[in-house]
Amino acid sequence: MQKIDFNKDWMCRCLTRDEEAYPVTLPHDAMLSEPRTQESTGEGNIGWYIGGDYEYTKNFFVPEEYKGKKVLIEFEGIYHNGEVYINGKKAAYRPYGYTNFYVDTEGFFQYGKENEIKVIARNADQPNSRWYSGTGMICPLSSRQVRYLKVSDKNTYISFWSVGIFMHTISLYIF
């Protein structure tokens, strides 16, 4: 399995205040770019920040040799209510913000071409936390190429990928 660091060369912009995009490296807490104000509905619990919706975009090349291979993108945390789009198509939605999740890229990538991934972190619905939560892509991001092992001729597959130093996930797919 090949793990690819996907944390560099992102652009971020606030959708709530219609600001210009600026370059970021993940993890990134967009809330820190907001002004502090006494009008914050989350008040001191969220550091007197307003909260907002943020869009992250990244363009990247997908090699032709990825065709026919399982490629997953692991999001370790989007706070909160994360939406993921690949080449303009919605690929995933994840409520909450502190739980990792995987996006299967099958049917979304354009092989041998530049692709775009867009992530929207919706955090304008304040107050939504009893403590400072941050906003945006607050955890690292990686892409994984997953190997399949065909077990029988009954369309049973097992995939393996590492999700931590001491823990591995094994998923069984029966088609």
Side-chain angles (χ1 to χ4, degrees):
M1 170 186 54
Q2 179 185 8
K3 181 176 178 180
I4 301 166
D5 181 345
F6 222 56
N7 294 312
K8 295 182 176 137
D9 302 320
W10 286 84
M11 297 295 289
C12 176
R13 72 182 183 102
C14 181
L15 298 175
T16 313
R17 290 182 295 283
D18 194 30
E19 296 173 349
E20 291 292 318
Y22 55 94
V24 298
T25 297
L26 305 180
H28 178 254
D29 183 354
M31 191 179 275
L32 295 175
S33 69
E34 298 175 6
R36 293 180 191 238
T37 176
Q38 290 184 5
E39 296 172 15
S40 165
T41 55
E43 300 177 335
N45 292 345
I46 61 168
W48 298 100
Y49 290 108
I50 297 170
D53 296 337
Y54 288 85
E55 176 185 83
Y56 292 82
T57 56
K58 177 182 179 77
N59 292 311
F60 59 99
F61 184 78
V62 176
E64 196 70 47
E65 57 263 18
Y66 280 22
K67 190 181 268 187
K69 295 183 179 176
K70 179 67 84 178
V71 179
L72 302 174
I73 301 174
E74 179 184 19
F75 292 84
E76 292 187 33
I78 300 172
Y79 197 84
H80 87 154
N81 294 334
E83 301 171 24
V84 179
Y85 298 83
I86 300 173
N87 295 320
K89 293 192 270 182
K90 193 169 193 173
Y93 169 76
R94 181 66 170 199
Y96 194 50
Y98 301 116
T99 308
N100 75 321
F101 64 100
Y102 294 88
V103 174
D104 186 343
T105 61
E106 189 171 342
F108 295 101
F109 277 171
Q110 297 174 11
Y111 302 99
K113 298 180 181 179
E114 282 288 313
N115 286 253
E116 180 193 63
I117 186 166
K118 177 171 65 173
V119 177
I120 299 175
R122 301 210 180 267
N123 196 27
D125 60 341
Q126 295 292 330
N128 64 33
S129 182
R130 294 178 300 214
W131 54 80
Y132 181 82
S133 62
T135 299
M137 296 178 67
I138 57 173
C139 295
L141 181 66
S142 62
S143 173
R144 300 169 187 271
Q145 218 180 77
V146 180
R147 292 179 296 220
Y148 279 97
L149 169 66
K150 188 166 183 180
V151 180
S152 73
D153 60 355
K154 302 287 185 206
N155 293 324
T156 303
Y157 297 86
I158 300 175
S159 67
F160 304 87
W161 63 88
S162 170
V163 294
I165 297 172
F166 299 109
M167 181 174 62
H168 293 278
T169 297
I170 300 173
S171 299
L172 177 66
Y173 299 91
I174 302 174
F175 298 99

